[in-house]
Amino acid sequence: MENVSSNIKVRPAASGKAERSKSGFWLVVLGAALWGADPLFRIILLKEHMTATQIVLIEHILLVLFVAPMLWKHRGELKGLKLRHIGALLFLSWGGSAIATILFTQGLSSGNLNAVVLLQKLQPIFAILMAKLLLREKLPKHFTWLFIVALAGTYLLTFGFTFPFGHVNDFVKVGSLFSLGAAALWGGSTVMGRLMVGKMEYETVTSLRFILALPLLIGITINQGDPWQVHTDGGTLAAVSINMLGQALLPGLFSLMVYYKGLTTTKASVATLAELSFPMVSVLINWIVFHQAVTLTQALGFILIWAALFAISRKSAA
């Protein structure tokens, strides 16, 4: 009878853990999906003759104003940080928040947009390698096949059934190299973020990501010495300000808060596949904002990605 009783008590806990894992996975999907709106804001700001570094600097200044009170509230969590935690935070802030965002923004203005989007699909590869090396994570069952299905879906979303490498020069460009660097840093940031949310609250991780990046961004901006294009037209200045604020809060702060909340119960190697919801949102934005109809191949890619994400979430919860 004691064994039966103990089994009955364990089941709700296991069920609750599985539900948290599943909900965490979909929070990561939601957070990453919000990033789909990010290029829309950045392209508009780039058209206003702002440099990539200037855009990222102003974005982080706005974000620090919002997250500083949050860090003060959780300041007690900074005690007892070990060297590996400090290294993870520096990678997360300097690499994932400052340098990667500059590289991606610069890639949008310097390279083939299709190439930039395709190269971002390398993020799961970098994240999985780092997760296995640093966190020693085990992959869910049939993960490799589901990974291939998800990548196939992202390929269809980007290129359809065409072969994009007819002109190698379109891909071997400065913009493509920027995008590749951003993919590597963001893939690594997924792992570092998963390491830190096991040490402190996700609000603290989000705050430190932006605050620690700010001194580096200031130094880079001063070193570059690019002139600031200040608009005297009130209407233009207001539009740019609203656009910058929306960029900082929606695909910036809010998406990361949701993302790190989900990451607390989601493996880094699984979370990086959830991030493939980004291209799906990009397609929807093109359809709604730019009135570009979704093709049959894009719809097929949409189905493949979400089928893979659904299967991974079920296996991860199990």
mmCIF file with all atom_site columns, all heavy atoms in Angstrom, residues 283-292:
data_model
loop_
_atom_site.group_PDB
_atom_site.id
_atom_site.type_symbol
_atom_site.label_atom_id
_atom_site.label_alt_id
_atom_site.label_comp_id
_atom_site.label_asym_id
_atom_site.label_entity_id
_atom_site.label_seq_id
_atom_site.pdbx_PDB_ins_code
_atom_site.Cartn_x
_atom_site.Cartn_y
_atom_site.Cartn_z
_atom_site.occupancy
_atom_site.B_iso_or_equiv
_atom_site.pdbx_formal_charge
_atom_site.auth_seq_id
_atom_site.auth_comp_id
_atom_site.auth_asym_id
_atom_site.auth_atom_id
_atom_site.pdbx_PDB_model_num
ATOM 1  N N   . VAL A 1 283 ? 7.369  36.151 -42.502 1.00 0.00 ? 283 VAL A N   1
ATOM 2  C CA  . VAL A 1 283 ? 6.502  35.926 -43.658 1.00 0.00 ? 283 VAL A CA  1
ATOM 3  C C   . VAL A 1 283 ? 5.145  36.597 -43.446 1.00 0.00 ? 283 VAL A C   1
ATOM 4  O O   . VAL A 1 283 ? 4.588  37.220 -44.362 1.00 0.00 ? 283 VAL A O   1
ATOM 5  C CB  . VAL A 1 283 ? 6.331  34.416 -43.913 1.00 0.00 ? 283 VAL A CB  1
ATOM 6  C CG1 . VAL A 1 283 ? 5.240  34.164 -44.942 1.00 0.00 ? 283 VAL A CG1 1
ATOM 7  C CG2 . VAL A 1 283 ? 7.642  33.813 -44.392 1.00 0.00 ? 283 VAL A CG2 1
ATOM 8  N N   . LEU A 1 284 ? 4.596  36.486 -42.245 1.00 0.00 ? 284 LEU A N   1
ATOM 9  C CA  . LEU A 1 284 ? 3.300  37.104 -41.955 1.00 0.00 ? 284 LEU A CA  1
ATOM 10 C C   . LEU A 1 284 ? 3.373  38.627 -42.055 1.00 0.00 ? 284 LEU A C   1
ATOM 11 O O   . LEU A 1 284 ? 2.440  39.277 -42.549 1.00 0.00 ? 284 LEU A O   1
ATOM 12 C CB  . LEU A 1 284 ? 2.837  36.684 -40.558 1.00 0.00 ? 284 LEU A CB  1
ATOM 13 C CG  . LEU A 1 284 ? 2.461  35.213 -40.380 1.00 0.00 ? 284 LEU A CG  1
ATOM 14 C CD1 . LEU A 1 284 ? 2.081  34.931 -38.932 1.00 0.00 ? 284 LEU A CD1 1
ATOM 15 C CD2 . LEU A 1 284 ? 1.333  34.820 -41.313 1.00 0.00 ? 284 LEU A CD2 1
ATOM 16 N N   . ILE A 1 285 ? 4.488  39.201 -41.606 1.00 0.00 ? 285 ILE A N   1
ATOM 17 C CA  . ILE A 1 285 ? 4.656  40.651 -41.700 1.00 0.00 ? 285 ILE A CA  1
ATOM 18 C C   . ILE A 1 285 ? 4.719  41.086 -43.161 1.00 0.00 ? 285 ILE A C   1
ATOM 19 O O   . ILE A 1 285 ? 4.126  42.091 -43.556 1.00 0.00 ? 285 ILE A O   1
ATOM 20 C CB  . ILE A 1 285 ? 5.913  41.100 -40.931 1.00 0.00 ? 285 ILE A CB  1
ATOM 21 C CG1 . ILE A 1 285 ? 5.657  40.991 -39.427 1.00 0.00 ? 285 ILE A CG1 1
ATOM 22 C CG2 . ILE A 1 285 ? 6.313  42.524 -41.306 1.00 0.00 ? 285 ILE A CG2 1
ATOM 23 C CD1 . ILE A 1 285 ? 6.829  41.376 -38.568 1.00 0.00 ? 285 ILE A CD1 1
ATOM 24 N N   . ASN A 1 286 ? 5.442  40.324 -43.974 1.00 0.00 ? 286 ASN A N   1
ATOM 25 C CA  . ASN A 1 286 ? 5.507  40.650 -45.403 1.00 0.00 ? 286 ASN A CA  1
ATOM 26 C C   . ASN A 1 286 ? 4.125  40.603 -46.046 1.00 0.00 ? 286 ASN A C   1
ATOM 27 O O   . ASN A 1 286 ? 3.814  41.392 -46.951 1.00 0.00 ? 286 ASN A O   1
ATOM 28 C CB  . ASN A 1 286 ? 6.437  39.670 -46.122 1.00 0.00 ? 286 ASN A CB  1
ATOM 29 C CG  . ASN A 1 286 ? 7.892  39.948 -45.827 1.00 0.00 ? 286 ASN A CG  1
ATOM 30 O OD1 . ASN A 1 286 ? 8.259  41.059 -45.459 1.00 0.00 ? 286 ASN A OD1 1
ATOM 31 N ND2 . ASN A 1 286 ? 8.729  38.937 -45.973 1.00 0.00 ? 286 ASN A ND2 1
ATOM 32 N N   . TRP A 1 287 ? 3.322  39.677 -45.587 1.00 0.00 ? 287 TRP A N   1
ATOM 33 C CA  . TRP A 1 287 ? 1.976  39.514 -46.147 1.00 0.00 ? 287 TRP A CA  1
ATOM 34 C C   . TRP A 1 287 ? 1.059  40.660 -45.713 1.00 0.00 ? 287 TRP A C   1
ATOM 35 O O   . TRP A 1 287 ? 0.363  41.270 -46.516 1.00 0.00 ? 287 TRP A O   1
ATOM 36 C CB  . TRP A 1 287 ? 1.412  38.165 -45.701 1.00 0.00 ? 287 TRP A CB  1
ATOM 37 C CG  . TRP A 1 287 ? 0.027  37.888 -46.191 1.00 0.00 ? 287 TRP A CG  1
ATOM 38 C CD1 . TRP A 1 287 ? -0.530 38.283 -47.377 1.00 0.00 ? 287 TRP A CD1 1
ATOM 39 C CD2 . TRP A 1 287 ? -0.996 37.162 -45.495 1.00 0.00 ? 287 TRP A CD2 1
ATOM 40 N NE1 . TRP A 1 287 ? -1.828 37.839 -47.470 1.00 0.00 ? 287 TRP A NE1 1
ATOM 41 C CE2 . TRP A 1 287 ? -2.138 37.138 -46.330 1.00 0.00 ? 287 TRP A CE2 1
ATOM 42 C CE3 . TRP A 1 287 ? -1.041 36.515 -44.276 1.00 0.00 ? 287 TRP A CE3 1
ATOM 43 C CZ2 . TRP A 1 287 ? -3.320 36.504 -45.955 1.00 0.00 ? 287 TRP A CZ2 1
ATOM 44 C CZ3 . TRP A 1 287 ? -2.212 35.871 -43.901 1.00 0.00 ? 287 TRP A CZ3 1
ATOM 45 C CH2 . TRP A 1 287 ? -3.333 35.876 -44.736 1.00 0.00 ? 287 TRP A CH2 1
ATOM 46 N N   . ILE A 1 288 ? 1.069  40.983 -44.398 1.00 0.00 ? 288 ILE A N   1
ATOM 47 C CA  . ILE A 1 288 ? 0.152  41.976 -43.851 1.00 0.00 ? 288 ILE A CA  1
ATOM 48 C C   . ILE A 1 288 ? 0.604  43.406 -44.165 1.00 0.00 ? 288 ILE A C   1
ATOM 49 O O   . ILE A 1 288 ? -0.191 44.249 -44.591 1.00 0.00 ? 288 ILE A O   1
ATOM 50 C CB  . ILE A 1 288 ? 0.006  41.781 -42.334 1.00 0.00 ? 288 ILE A CB  1
ATOM 51 C CG1 . ILE A 1 288 ? -0.614 40.405 -42.035 1.00 0.00 ? 288 ILE A CG1 1
ATOM 52 C CG2 . ILE A 1 288 ? -0.830 42.897 -41.724 1.00 0.00 ? 288 ILE A CG2 1
ATOM 53 C CD1 . ILE A 1 288 ? -0.633 40.049 -40.567 1.00 0.00 ? 288 ILE A CD1 1
ATOM 54 N N   . VAL A 1 289 ? 1.888  43.703 -43.953 1.00 0.00 ? 289 VAL A N   1
ATOM 55 C CA  . VAL A 1 289 ? 2.382  45.066 -44.097 1.00 0.00 ? 289 VAL A CA  1
ATOM 56 C C   . VAL A 1 289 ? 2.698  45.409 -45.542 1.00 0.00 ? 289 VAL A C   1
ATOM 57 O O   . VAL A 1 289 ? 2.333  46.469 -46.039 1.00 0.00 ? 289 VAL A O   1
ATOM 58 C CB  . VAL A 1 289 ? 3.634  45.277 -43.215 1.00 0.00 ? 289 VAL A CB  1
ATOM 59 C CG1 . VAL A 1 289 ? 4.199  46.682 -43.399 1.00 0.00 ? 289 VAL A CG1 1
ATOM 60 C CG2 . VAL A 1 289 ? 3.301  45.019 -41.746 1.00 0.00 ? 289 VAL A CG2 1
ATOM 61 N N   . PHE A 1 290 ? 3.381  44.482 -46.233 1.00 0.00 ? 290 PHE A N   1
ATOM 62 C CA  . PHE A 1 290 ? 3.832  44.769 -47.591 1.00 0.00 ? 290 PHE A CA  1
ATOM 63 C C   . PHE A 1 290 ? 2.947  44.120 -48.662 1.00 0.00 ? 290 PHE A C   1
ATOM 64 O O   . PHE A 1 290 ? 3.281  44.163 -49.839 1.00 0.00 ? 290 PHE A O   1
ATOM 65 C CB  . PHE A 1 290 ? 5.281  44.308 -47.763 1.00 0.00 ? 290 PHE A CB  1
ATOM 66 C CG  . PHE A 1 290 ? 6.231  44.984 -46.808 1.00 0.00 ? 290 PHE A CG  1
ATOM 67 C CD1 . PHE A 1 290 ? 6.799  44.270 -45.762 1.00 0.00 ? 290 PHE A CD1 1
ATOM 68 C CD2 . PHE A 1 290 ? 6.539  46.321 -46.947 1.00 0.00 ? 290 PHE A CD2 1
ATOM 69 C CE1 . PHE A 1 290 ? 7.665  44.886 -44.873 1.00 0.00 ? 290 PHE A CE1 1
ATOM 70 C CE2 . PHE A 1 290 ? 7.408  46.946 -46.068 1.00 0.00 ? 290 PHE A CE2 1
ATOM 71 C CZ  . PHE A 1 290 ? 7.970  46.228 -45.024 1.00 0.00 ? 290 PHE A CZ  1
ATOM 72 N N   . HIS A 1 291 ? 1.862  43.477 -48.225 1.00 0.00 ? 291 HIS A N   1
ATOM 73 C CA  . HIS A 1 291 ? 0.860  42.912 -49.144 1.00 0.00 ? 291 HIS A CA  1
ATOM 74 C C   . HIS A 1 291 ? 1.476  41.897 -50.120 1.00 0.00 ? 291 HIS A C   1
ATOM 75 O O   . HIS A 1 291 ? 1.113  41.831 -51.282 1.00 0.00 ? 291 HIS A O   1
ATOM 76 C CB  . HIS A 1 291 ? 0.163  44.023 -49.926 1.00 0.00 ? 291 HIS A CB  1
ATOM 77 C CG  . HIS A 1 291 ? -0.424 45.084 -49.046 1.00 0.00 ? 291 HIS A CG  1
ATOM 78 N ND1 . HIS A 1 291 ? -1.524 44.858 -48.246 1.00 0.00 ? 291 HIS A ND1 1
ATOM 79 C CD2 . HIS A 1 291 ? -0.048 46.376 -48.839 1.00 0.00 ? 291 HIS A CD2 1
ATOM 80 C CE1 . HIS A 1 291 ? -1.802 45.969 -47.572 1.00 0.00 ? 291 HIS A CE1 1
ATOM 81 N NE2 . HIS A 1 291 ? -0.930 46.899 -47.915 1.00 0.00 ? 291 HIS A NE2 1
ATOM 82 N N   . GLN A 1 292 ? 2.411  41.109 -49.611 1.00 0.00 ? 292 GLN A N   1
ATOM 83 C CA  . GLN A 1 292 ? 2.995  40.032 -50.398 1.00 0.00 ? 292 GLN A CA  1
ATOM 84 C C   . GLN A 1 292 ? 2.294  38.728 -50.034 1.00 0.00 ? 292 GLN A C   1
ATOM 85 O O   . GLN A 1 292 ? 2.367  38.282 -48.891 1.00 0.00 ? 292 GLN A O   1
ATOM 86 C CB  . GLN A 1 292 ? 4.502  39.915 -50.131 1.00 0.00 ? 292 GLN A CB  1
ATOM 87 C CG  . GLN A 1 292 ? 5.294  41.137 -50.562 1.00 0.00 ? 292 GLN A CG  1
ATOM 88 C CD  . GLN A 1 292 ? 6.779  40.986 -50.287 1.00 0.00 ? 292 GLN A CD  1
ATOM 89 O OE1 . GLN A 1 292 ? 7.220  39.974 -49.775 1.00 0.00 ? 292 GLN A OE1 1
ATOM 90 N NE2 . GLN A 1 292 ? 7.544  42.013 -50.639 1.00 0.00 ? 292 GLN A NE2 1
#
